């Protein structure tokens, strides 16, 4: 059986602004406990690098935090919020746990994938959209729901999905609360 591997190239750009933000985050932790800042640093670094973390970028984070690269890799591979390959500008992360599934999340995922012409885990050819099925996002009372960046979109139905896609194409969907 042949295994297909894809090597994605990423330009590592640790700007002075990103360095300042990382240093600000590190200031919240004891100097000898830099690893404690791993999650917030990964978020900042991923945000600054088109929402994904290559192996080389993970190694750079390990270097910054003075930890082993495997320690970064373990975290990046455990949490669905970190991407190890390029994703679309708008990452539609659908909750796939009990409440959302009982209220039609599967149908909303299928509908969205059909509208975008992709499958879960794929990105549209124009790099605009990706679709993922993730674990509980904690909005059970508003199921089915999805997250785009820092924002929840709840009580989904086909009409809402159509409007969200149209708003993304128009550039009017906010991704980050910064």
């Amino acid at each position: 059986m042949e295994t297909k591997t894809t090597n994605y190239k990423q330009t590592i750009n640790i700007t002075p602004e990103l360095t300042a933000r990382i240093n600000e985050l590190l200031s919240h932790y004891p100097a000898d406990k830099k690893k404690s800042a791993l999650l917030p640093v990964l978020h900042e670094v991923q945000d600054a690098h088109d929402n994904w973390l290559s192996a080389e970028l993970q190694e750079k984070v390990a270097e910054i935090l003075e930890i082993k690269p495997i320690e970064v890799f373990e975290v990046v591979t455990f949490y669905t919020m970190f991407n190890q390959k390029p994703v679309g500008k708008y990452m539609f992360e659908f909750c796939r746990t009990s409440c959302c599934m009982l209220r039609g999340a599967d149908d909303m995922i299928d509908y969205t994938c059909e509208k975008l012409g992709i499958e879960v885990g794929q990105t549209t050819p124009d790099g605009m959209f990706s679709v993922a099925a993730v674990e509980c996002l904690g909005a059970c009372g508003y199921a089915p729901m999805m997250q785009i960046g820092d924002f929840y979109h709840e009580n989904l139905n086909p009409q809402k999905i159509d409007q969200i896609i149209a708003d993304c194409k128009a550039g009017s969907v906010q991704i980050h609360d910064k």
Side-chain angles (χ1 to χ4, degrees):
M1 182 173 170
E2 186 177 325
T3 303
K4 182 181 177 187
T5 58
T6 305
N7 294 323
Y8 298 103
K9 298 294 180 198
Q10 182 176 45
T11 301
I12 297 174
N13 187 19
I14 308 297
T15 64
E17 295 81 15
L18 180 56
T19 299
R21 180 67 184 131
I22 291 170
N23 288 336
E24 194 275 321
L25 289 168
L26 289 173
S27 74
H28 297 276
Y29 301 92
D32 63 336
K33 302 284 187 211
K34 287 184 178 183
K35 182 179 178 179
S36 300
L38 181 55
L39 287 174
V41 168
L42 283 171
H43 281 293
E44 289 295 326
V45 171
Q46 179 171 269
D47 287 349
H49 289 85
D50 296 323
N51 203 27
W52 72 286
L53 300 161
S54 64
E56 295 80 14
L57 192 53
Q58 292 175 50
E59 289 175 15
K60 183 66 175 173
V61 169
E63 179 185 314
I64 290 167
L65 297 179
E66 300 173 0
I67 59 177
K68 295 176 183 168
I70 189 65
E71 294 175 278
V72 176
F73 179 76
E74 289 169 340
V75 170
V76 169
T77 57
F78 180 78
Y79 291 106
T80 60
M81 63 191 133
F82 299 118
N83 303 304
Q84 298 175 71
K85 64 180 183 178
V87 295
K89 177 180 180 181
Y90 298 101
M91 173 71 124
F92 290 13
E93 296 178 282
F94 286 89
C95 177
R96 66 174 179 194
T97 46
S98 302
C99 289
C100 284
M101 284 304 184
L102 289 171
R103 303 231 14 229
D106 274 340
D107 293 337
M108 294 301 94
I109 293 169
D110 291 344
Y111 180 81
T112 303
C113 287
E114 184 178 317
K115 290 289 286 189
L116 297 174
I118 60 174
E119 295 179 18
V120 171
Q122 293 182 331
T123 300
T124 57
D126 63 2
M128 188 104 165
F129 300 98
S130 293
V131 175
V134 300
E135 295 306 317
C136 186
L137 292 168
C140 302
Y142 306 102
M145 62 84 61
M146 73 171 162
Q147 179 175 340
I148 302 174
D150 295 337
F151 297 96
Y152 283 1
H153 298 269
E154 302 161 331
N155 298 307
L156 295 172
N157 60 45
Q159 296 76 24
K160 285 186 178 182
I161 297 288
D162 289 345
Q163 187 62 56
I164 291 167
I165 292 171
D167 290 345
C168 288
K169 288 180 178 178
S172 61
V173 172
Q174 189 174 352
I175 299 172
H176 295 294
D177 188 24
K178 292 183 184 179

